[in-house]
Amino acid sequence: MSPEEIVYLEILAASILVGFLFRYLSPSVKRVAALLLGLTITIATCGIHTLHSLITVLGTWVIIKINWRSAPSLSLGWTFFYLLFFRLVTWFGLPQPTPFANAIQLLLTLKMVSLANEIHSYHLEKKNEVSSFTKSAVVRGLSHEPSLYDVIAYSYCYVGIMTGPFFRYQTYMDWLQQSNPLSLPGMAPCIQRLQMVPVYGALFMAVNYVFPLSYVRTEEFLEENYFYRFFYMVAIFFVFRMRFYAAWCGAEAGCISAGLGCYPKEALSKPGGGPTVKYNPDPDTAVEYDFKTIQNIDCYNSDFCSKVRHGMRYWNMTVQWWLHHYIYPNAPFRTYALRAGWTMLISAYWHGLHAGYYLSFLTIPLCIAAETAMEASVRARLGPKGQNIFDWVHWFLKMRAYDYMCMGFVLLKASDTINYWSSIYFIIQIIALVCIGVGQIMKGGRKDRSAGEKENVTREKAE
């Protein structure tokens, strides 16, 4: 493990333990304590680079105060522009930010854009209430406009400050205002979320030792036989998954111990977004709670769902919610494939400027187009047994597609990524293009294409 990974691990472990203590604090004390602890972590790990996050917060605050109507788009432009400056600071003679500062900046970007959208919705609903004399139907909308202190406290709340998960300002406020935090579930769900972390950690270290990423960049690797080179990406993606499974399960446990994101099951909460329906628990009935709001990974479904599009849904779930609500609807395209491509482009930019991110993320729309074409032209014509076989083949190809794209994500450089992809003959892109071609041939005709497009729209709405 690298020194940075050890620090992340120590912060995660401390956050889990400290979280249980926060349940004993009053709302005002909880807010101050969470802010001070978050600032302490930030300053201790980032030093002078803490100024980057502070500038981002203050800039967003100014935008909201000056023009709340355009705040969603302006805040997105501001935070993403500052991300560009943040990643190119050495061009201006400034010191390179630490990896910890980068992690904080990424999460803060999501928070600021979400905050601007929440405040925009608050003002719109307030105007509607005045004009229509009816109470807002928005589920868990803001009750007041946050002050500068509120925004800073939310921005630097210690919970998930580096590792996530992302949570909205309203989720943060609901956490502060919990009437009886000690009565909420904590220890049992926390242990349940942590029980597989040692296994993930052990598998990460063992497989990473046997299959080091650095070997891919050597001339000796290119001399290995094709099947070994192909299998290597399977091992690398396994290491990648185990690393993030362990980290995100630990981060979720930190939220659970503090009680953040705890809502009644009847609220039908979504990762990142929180409750989706209004709920009024019956005081005479035992209430069941869940932590869906802060769930960032579904390890089982991430591995065993059969579709590329579904794999994204179960991976980094709170960020996927953010992309789905703030980026995808505002894409400058109408077709599903192009909107998905735009969303993946924005996601790649959010992750960084390395070419490997873009090569990987922009392969996803191609894979989605391929699986859509095959579902409409092949699977739809099969019987139950044939569809079952199709789904297993689909799952195998889905995992290989993610193995393949992961190599760009970890190799980072365009040259390293293309060298590896070329060593296995760009097999995923070729398979995807063949599937699209077969799908078009088998669909044949404008009528079938229209039906397929309608099916895609229906599926998109359902998902």
Side-chain angles (χ1 to χ4, degrees):
M1 295 180 67
S2 67
E4 289 81 9
E5 287 173 329
I6 293 174
V7 172
Y8 278 123
L9 182 61
E10 291 172 344
I11 292 173
L12 276 177
S15 297
I16 295 169
L17 296 175
V18 168
F20 289 105
L21 299 178
F22 270 78
R23 292 176 177 246
Y24 291 90
L25 305 179
S26 65
S28 58
V29 176
K30 185 189 292 188
R31 187 200 306 261
V32 174
L35 169 59
L36 292 178
L37 183 54
L39 281 174
T40 300
I41 293 172
T42 303
I43 294 172
T45 57
C46 303
I48 190 64
H49 303 295
T50 302
L51 289 174
H52 290 297
S53 58
L54 183 59
I55 291 171
T56 303
V57 172
L58 295 177
T60 304
W61 169 251
V62 170
I63 287 172
I64 292 171
K65 296 304 291 183
I66 292 177
N67 188 353
W68 64 262
R69 290 178 179 81
S70 302
S73 57
L74 292 176
S75 64
L76 181 66
W78 157 247
T79 55
F80 271 51
F81 172 79
Y82 198 86
L83 267 182
L84 180 63
F85 170 76
F86 175 82
R87 288 159 176 162
L88 300 177
V89 289
T90 55
W91 290 18
F92 303 93
L94 298 175
Q96 180 71 39
T98 67
F100 308 108
N102 180 65
I104 290 173
Q105 194 71 25
L106 289 179
L107 267 298
L108 194 62
T109 297
L110 303 182
K111 285 183 174 181
M112 293 299 96
V113 174
S114 176
L115 177 67
N117 278 274
E118 288 184 82
I119 292 177
H120 179 262
S121 296
Y122 163 75
H123 282 289
L124 288 182
E125 291 304 318
K126 193 174 180 181
K127 289 181 66 176
N128 289 338
E129 287 182 13
V130 172
S131 60
S132 62
F133 301 99
T134 58
K135 192 173 182 180
S136 172
V138 172
V139 178
R140 306 300 295 166
L142 299 184
S143 60
H144 65 279
E145 183 175 349
S147 65
L148 178 59
Y149 172 61
D150 292 331
V151 173
I152 292 176
Y154 165 60
S155 302
Y156 290 103
C157 175
Y158 85 95
V159 183
I161 192 168
M162 286 185 184
T163 57
F166 157 76
F167 52 89
R168 298 166 62 231
Y169 178 78
Q170 184 60 60
T171 303
Y172 168 74
M173 289 303 299
D174 289 343
W175 175 59
L176 293 180
Q177 297 166 1
Q178 288 170 343
S179 58
N180 188 10
L182 291 172
S183 67
L184 301 176
M187 185 62 71
C190 189
I191 293 174
Q192 183 180 19
R193 204 59 181 142
L194 289 173
Q195 62 186 357
M196 287 297 293
V197 169
V199 177
Y200 297 144
L203 289 172
F204 160 71
M205 290 187 288
V207 181
N208 187 52
Y209 178 79
V210 178
F211 297 95
L213 178 64
S214 57
Y215 185 51
V216 178
R217 299 187 175 96
T218 65
E219 292 295 330
E220 291 80 2
F221 176 80
L222 297 178
E223 295 174 1
E224 300 280 1
N225 67 71
Y226 177 84
F227 293 103
Y228 182 82
R229 297 196 303 268
F230 182 89
F231 175 77
Y232 214 90
M233 71 178 185
V234 179
I236 292 296
F237 186 46
F238 182 83
V239 170
F240 186 82
R241 296 203 313 277
M242 294 304 105
R243 178 174 180 261
F244 279 96
Y245 286 178
W248 283 336
C249 286
E252 288 178 35
C255 296
I256 292 170
S257 67
L260 177 68
C262 185
Y263 292 100
K265 285 188 176 181
E266 66 181 48
L268 303 179
S269 299
K270 296 290 185 182
T276 58
V277 298
K278 292 188 176 182
Y279 58 91
N280 293 298
D282 187 342
D284 298 325
T285 305
V287 179
E288 289 188 76
Y289 293 92
D290 63 35
F291 289 89
K292 291 287 186 182
T293 299
I294 51 83
Q295 184 179 3
N296 209 38
I297 186 69
D298 185 330
C299 303
Y300 179 83
N301 282 313
S302 179
D303 280 354
F304 293 104
C305 68
S306 63
K307 301 179 183 180
V308 170
R309 64 166 65 87
H310 290 170
M312 293 188 296
R313 179 187 302 174
Y314 299 118
W315 177 273
N316 207 358
M317 297 164 76
T318 59
V319 175
Q320 295 302 327
W321 181 93
W322 186 92
L323 289 168
H324 182 72
H325 282 78
Y326 302 135
I327 302 300
Y328 181 83
N330 300 315
F333 308 102
R334 295 186 64 85
T335 63
Y336 173 72
L338 290 177
R339 294 178 100 184
W342 172 259
T343 304
M344 291 301 100
L345 179 64
I346 296 299
S347 181
Y349 177 83
W350 177 75
H351 279 86
L353 299 179
H354 297 289
Y357 292 144
Y358 298 86
L359 291 171
S360 296
F361 277 112
L362 293 179
T363 303
I364 291 177
L366 179 66
C367 294
I368 291 176
E371 70 181 10
T372 300
M374 293 302 287
E375 286 170 2
S377 62
V378 177
R379 190 182 188 278
R381 303 184 182 187
L382 300 175
K385 185 176 180 179
Q387 289 185 350
N388 188 49
I389 295 173
F390 179 95
D391 289 342
W392 276 106
V393 173
H394 195 169
W395 168 80
F396 178 82
L397 292 175
K398 184 261 311 189
M399 291 304 296
R400 301 298 73 80
Y402 277 120
D403 295 336
Y404 186 86
M405 290 182 284
C406 176
M407 296 305 292
F409 207 88
V410 296
L411 289 171
L412 299 179
K413 290 184 178 179
S415 58
D416 290 339
T417 302
I418 293 173
N419 283 342
Y420 176 77
W421 284 358
S422 64
S423 76
I424 57 173
Y425 310 128
F426 299 98
I427 188 169
I428 295 301
Q429 280 100 340
I430 290 174
I431 291 175
L433 291 173
V434 168
C435 288
I436 292 171
V438 170
Q440 289 299 317
I441 292 172
M442 293 185 68
K443 280 166 64 177
R446 186 178 184 87
K447 182 178 180 180
D448 288 341
R449 285 198 297 273
S450 298
E453 290 174 1
K454 290 179 180 178
E455 181 183 347
N456 290 341
V457 172
T458 303
R459 183 188 296 113
E460 179 186 339
K461 290 180 179 179
E463 294 173 359

